[in-house]
Amino acid sequence: MPVTTAMSSPGNGNMLLGVMGDPIAQSRSPIMHSEALRALGISGEYVSLHITPDQLGEAVQQIRTLGFRGVNVTIPHKVEVMAYLDEVDESARDIGAVNTIVNTNGWLTGYNTDGIGYVRSLKTEVMPTLAGTKIMIIGAGGAARGIAAALLKENLSSLVIANRTADRAQELAADFSGKGSVTGISLDQFGDHLDGIEVVINTTSVGMYPCVNDTPVDTSLFHKGLVISDLIYNPLRTRLLQESLDRGCRIHSGLGMFVYQGAYALEYWTGRPAPTEVMWQTMLESLGSSCKD
Ligand code: ATR
């Protein structure tokens, strides 16, 4: 039975929010959401919660007991947390992972805002419409699954998934076969499949701080005008993006995805439009940069 608590409904005093992960000290969600709450004039707190895998079930129960309005869930809990929720929204079921929990009077619903956050960022910053486009994703892990699920709702012409381990790319493509034209290939062959591709998206962590000299693919095959998108936002301009820019490509960093996944979560919790400009600026300042890629 759901537990009803005095503080679990919005508008009832202080809105308690947080992020559960292990490790969690590096998370920039608390600073981004704290500024967003302030901008909305909502009295509340967004806290870091260091939860180890063996504590996860108890921690989810504490959302109800302590009256948290909601939490974000990050690595390594996005899949396992689903077992402890009352309901999992279609957005999260499609992907098989939850990154946002909403507590409505003790009833916990899981959502996934990563993929839709990414698509909102890509459309807002680079390509207003994705219908009819051919897109390639590099990587076939959890991040790739979320992005693929959201992209396939945009009526793409086709989606190619290129992965170091070709079997994983083919398995992911097969999982989405009913949702559009999806092919899985080996990363070694990505150059053979670039014809007609308009957007290439790196979903791997190759190039992320501190290994900033790494790049997942050979950019010499990229043509002018191609959009190169990287889910990484630290650094804001990865080696992949810098080399692509030098070749005349248009580039898109992962910062927007982070901002918009948080924006959707905040909108679920507060029922109000998120202050995305404030969230964006807060992240730029936190990353120690003033340039918007
Ligand atoms: P996430 O949930 O962040 O996507 P993951 O499930 O561990 O993490 O997936 C990581 C992805 O990055 C995989 O597609 C992985 O390729 P493999 O399936 O072959 O392991 C890819 N990846 C990791 N390191 C890589 C590297 N050095 N070169 C190319 N791809 C790499």
Side-chain angles (χ1 to χ4, degrees):
M1 272 294 282
V3 179
T4 306
T5 67
M7 292 170 74
S8 61
S9 53
N12 196 358
N14 220 30
M15 185 178 287
L16 291 178
L17 302 168
V19 55
M20 291 182 174
D22 179 26
I24 201 62
Q26 81 298 342
S27 174
R28 292 177 201 266
S29 291
I31 180 170
M32 182 174 78
H33 282 286
S34 298
E35 286 302 320
L37 286 173
R38 210 188 323 269
L40 289 174
I42 293 174
S43 157
E45 310 284 338
Y46 184 110
V47 294
S48 281
L49 300 162
H50 183 204
I51 306 296
T52 55
D54 58 305
Q55 297 170 323
L56 185 61
E58 191 192 328
V60 173
Q61 179 55 31
Q62 292 292 338
I63 297 172
R64 301 187 180 94
T65 314
L66 299 175
F68 272 67
R69 169 60 177 154
V71 294
N72 284 129
V73 181
T74 188
I75 292 167
H77 304 314
K78 288 186 181 187
V79 177
E80 286 72 18
V81 78
M82 291 195 292
Y84 301 106
L85 304 177
D86 299 303
E87 191 178 339
V88 176
D89 178 74
E90 191 198 338
S91 62
R93 253 183 290 135
D94 276 358
I95 297 167
V98 159
N99 81 326
T100 302
I101 299 173
V102 178
N103 176 11
T104 308
N105 300 320
W107 182 264
L108 302 185
T109 307
Y111 297 87
N112 195 308
T113 67
D114 288 329
I116 54 174
Y118 174 79
V119 168
R120 186 158 150 191
S121 166
L122 187 65
K123 289 169 82 169
T124 306
E125 295 164 57
V126 198
M127 295 188 80
T129 175
L130 298 173
T133 56
K134 288 189 174 183
I135 296 185
M136 180 185 286
I137 290 179
I138 299 169
R145 180 177 287 274
I147 302 288
L151 284 173
L152 287 167
K153 295 210 161 81
E154 298 290 321
N155 292 317
L156 306 184
S157 157
S158 65
L159 183 65
V160 177
I161 300 168
N163 195 46
R164 179 175 62 180
T165 310
D167 286 357
R168 277 186 93 189
Q170 278 148 12
E171 280 163 26
L172 189 54
D175 284 353
F176 285 115
S177 59
K179 315 250 175 188
S181 163
V182 194
T183 322
I185 63 162
S186 161
L187 190 55
D188 294 339
Q189 295 162 347
F190 98 101
D192 303 335
H193 293 260
L194 274 178
D195 202 25
I197 296 284
E198 288 165 74
V199 187
V200 174
I201 306 164
N202 174 40
T203 72
T204 77
S205 55
V206 181
M208 191 187 287
Y209 180 84
C211 302
V212 296
N213 288 322
D214 294 348
T215 174
V217 286
D218 175 5
T219 55
S220 68
L221 298 168
F222 292 167
H223 56 266
K224 217 173 166 209
L226 185 63
V227 172
I228 307 297
S229 173
D230 201 330
L231 263 50
I232 296 169
Y233 62 83
N234 189 10
L236 266 183
R237 192 168 291 173
T238 56
R239 179 168 175 188
L240 173 72
L241 293 185
Q242 185 59 56
E243 286 185 8
S244 303
L245 190 65
D246 294 343
R247 293 187 181 283
C249 301
R250 297 162 69 200
I251 60 171
H252 172 243
S253 92
L255 186 57
M257 172 178 174
F258 185 77
V259 168
Y260 288 116
Q261 63 75 31
Y264 277 119
L266 196 66
E267 287 166 5
Y268 282 132
W269 297 323
T270 66
R272 291 173 49 185
T276 52
E277 274 302 317
V278 169
M279 295 165 83
W280 190 284
Q281 280 308 323
T282 303
M283 285 301 294
L284 280 181
E285 281 160 28
S286 159
L287 290 165
S289 165
S290 56
C291 69
K292 186 165 163 177
D293 272 353

